[in-house]
Every structure is written in C-alpha cells, then in structure tokens.
Amino acid sequence: MAFHVSLVGRNDLSGEIYRQIRQAILDGRLRPGERLTATRELAGALTVARSTVAIAYEALIAEGFATSRTGAGTFVSHQLEAKGPASKTRRSTSRAIRVRDVWQTIPLPPHFLCAARYDFRTGIPDASLFPHRSWRRVVAHALRSRETAVGLYGDPAGSRDLRAAIARHVGVSRCISGSPDDIIVTNGTQQALDIIARVLLEPGDVVAVEKPGYLPPKQLFKALGARVVGVPVDSEGLVVEALPAEARVVYVTPSHQFPLGMAMSLPRRRALLGWAEQCNAVVIEDDYDSEFRFGGRPLEPLQTLDTTGRVVYVGTFSKTLLPSLRLAFMVVPPSLREAMYKAKFVTDWHTATIAQNALARFIDEGAFARHVRKVSRIYSERRELLTAEIRCNFGDYLHLIPSSTGLHIAAYARTASLGEIDAAASRAFDLGVSIQSFPLDGKPQAGIMLGYGAIETSRIAEGLRRLRTCFDERVSRRSKAA
C-alpha cells in the first residue's frame, strides 16, 4: 500500500518525508516488518528527486526506525514496539457540534456483542447448522457469473433471479400473492422498514406499534421524526379498537408476536385490515420467523387477506440462514412499488449482488427448503425440552405464554419486577447464561424471553439449572430483607 506523504507548502522535503514516515511508525500505522514504498516509486508519486527520498530513508535507518536488505527493500524495524494509533489532533471549536436530541435516547444493543456459553438470546439461529459447503458452492458460482464479471451496479429492487425465487418460495410456503415485480430485496428487515418510512411518513406522522413490541422499529420510526404510539396486545394479538385513528402506519408481528409469542387471530386480522381501509393507513406485516411453526394450523398472512393493497409484507433470511448475510425482502402493493424502488435506490442503490445471486441459486436448487426442514427438527427438539424444563422447574417463578411459532418462548414472572429480573439476568450472565427481559405494560411484574436458536440442545438443562440458582438467590435475599 502506498504511504501518503504531504509536501504541499513544505520546504525541507527530505526532512518532511522522514518526519511523516517516522511518526507513522511511532503511531503504529506502519507496523514492524512492513515494507516501505520503494524510493523510486515514492519519488515518482511525490514528484521529487529519488535522492530526496533516499536521504529520508537513510535517516530512518540511521536512527533505527528502518532496516535495509539488499535486493529486498527498506522495512520498518522489528526492534520497535508499535504503539496503538494515535488520536487525531482536532481543531478547537467554541461549541460542540449538536446532534438531534433523539439520538440521545437510542442505545446500542450491547447484548448482541456479549455471547455466553448458555446463550438463550432471541433472534439468533445456530450458525453451526448453516450449510457452509452448499453456500460456498453457490457463492463460487455467483462469482463466475456474467453479472459479476461485468462489474456494474445492479437493479435497486434486487436481482431478478432472486426476486423470482423469493416470489415462488413465499407463494408456496406462505401463500403470499405477488410477482417478482412486487418484491424489493433489502439489507435486513430494518432497512425495509426504513424504506417504507421514507416513502410514507412526514415528520410528526403517527406510527402505531405493538406494546410490548420489538424495539428497533420503534427507535427507527422515532429517529425519522414520527410520533410512535404503543398499542396493547392481548391473547389474540394487537387490540385493533385501541389503534389511534390518526395513525398513518401500523407495524405488527402477527405470526409470532414479539416478545409474547402469540399469533394474531383471524378475526383480529380481518378487523385490522378493515380499520386500515377505513383510516387510509398502511399495515407493515413483519413475518420474521414464520418458517418455524411447531403446532396448530397456519393462519393466512395479512398480505394474503388484503384485497385493497394496504399491506407491505416484510420477510428476512436472518433467522433461517444467518444475520450476517443481511438479506431480507418486501412484498409491496402496486401503488407503492415505484416509490419504494426509488427509496431503495437513494438509500444504498442495491444490496450486494454476489450474495443475491448465491441465494437465488440456493433457493432454486431446493437447498434452502431442505435446510429449513433440517433446522426445524432440531429447533423443535430444543423448544420441547426448554418448555418442559420451564414448566417443571420454574413453575413457582414463571408463567409460560403459549406459543407454537418462532425461535423463542416467553414467560411472565409471577411476582418479580423488571428490576429484579434484570438483577437475576445480570447474575446469570456472570454464570455464563444469557437471557432477555421486557416490561409488561401496566403490571409490576416483568417478562423474560428464552431463545433456543443459538444454544446447543445438550446445554439447555445446565443453562436453566444455573438460571434457577439466580432466581433462588433473589428470593433468599428478599426473605432476609423482610
């Protein structure tokens, strides 16, 4: 890599080259053993005489910052202990640059950075089950494709092959009606929601979300200037009667409500669509882990029931494959297609082409369907074990919420508050167990979520045993305090 040296406005050219390279070595930007740019090459880049660079290199060698090997070049000395990159000197300002207040209210998700041996976090699939060999093969094929060889920007809506594959897949697996033209490929669900919000929302518009619900969409809508209103849920899902009439958009997780886990009933789904038509609103249907259903009859998606073009269906491959692939999609009604297409274009132009082409082939070959069937059997086993253990060993602490879909189960704490659950979760993490809690609207008790995607089946029992000790410790402290 060519090293950048600035000589603009400098007089002592050799000295300036020496000082800037010396400082880069001290800062650690040039590491011990790294080869310096050849004198002839650096001289040409700086438009100076080769002797000017040679003098600077000789000074570096003389002071022990570099060594020279005949026929090989000049290298940073191994005798130097590299330091970490120094912080840049910043211009002093009379006032700090002000950011919008909303960014002070949005935390980063630290729990995604903290893996544990007994990992019950939600929304994380088992990476060890990912079909690496099959995926490498389809990626290799994508790298050899004509589209990759040409090296041009792609279609903002996504690869035509992938959109066609997705349309076939959701048409069969979820009875979603839509052509490839109705599909837009995105970098994860969150970008899909961002595009929808850009197209539909003005600052101050009302967005209705489930309460309790999935936090990142709420934070996104809030960051974009929308007024976010929480709407309660019950055993049938979102309470439609509680929706604010002025809501422009409603965000729901009807197949597997997050975090509680219930499915929205068919009467409630029809009521929501009727409300959206009456109030001229759009419904975002986040079908984030509907592929994993372990009981009960499947309910028709809102998008399938929709007859007036009010539903934007959002799906993702983060749970079925890997979150790191950042591949998701929207099925949009015809009235929104052009605007959504343009919004994707101005956001990032298009999602990575190689990954799209690989996924298209992966789906068309049937490898995706086989993978989902395989992991579903494993996740089903984990779910049954986790559910049985909770009922058997946590009945005095937790009330399990019925659920037949997804990659996590949820439970109400019978007496513990959110603070007590968080304290138990913190203690559990010290013991290698990771769980997540959530507040319950209008109730002193809290809830917990236990995911079974990331944890190995053989570790579930021991992880729960350790968690149980944390609950027992909490009760013991409460008794002593009383």
Side-chain angles (χ1 to χ4, degrees), residues 2-47:
F3 180 73
H4 174 77
V5 175
S6 175
L7 299 180
V8 177
R10 271 74 164 187
N11 294 320
D12 180 11
L13 301 185
S14 291
E16 198 62 43
I17 294 170
Y18 158 78
R19 284 187 287 274
Q20 291 188 36
I21 294 178
R22 177 180 180 274
Q23 190 60 52
I25 294 172
L26 292 173
D27 289 346
R29 287 176 286 147
L30 290 174
R31 297 170 296 178
E34 193 163 352
R35 187 178 185 277
L36 299 181
T37 307
T39 55
R40 186 186 304 278
E41 183 180 342
L42 185 57
L46 300 177
T47 63

Side-chain angles (χ1 to χ4, degrees), residues 9 114 422 439:
C114 303
D422 285 343

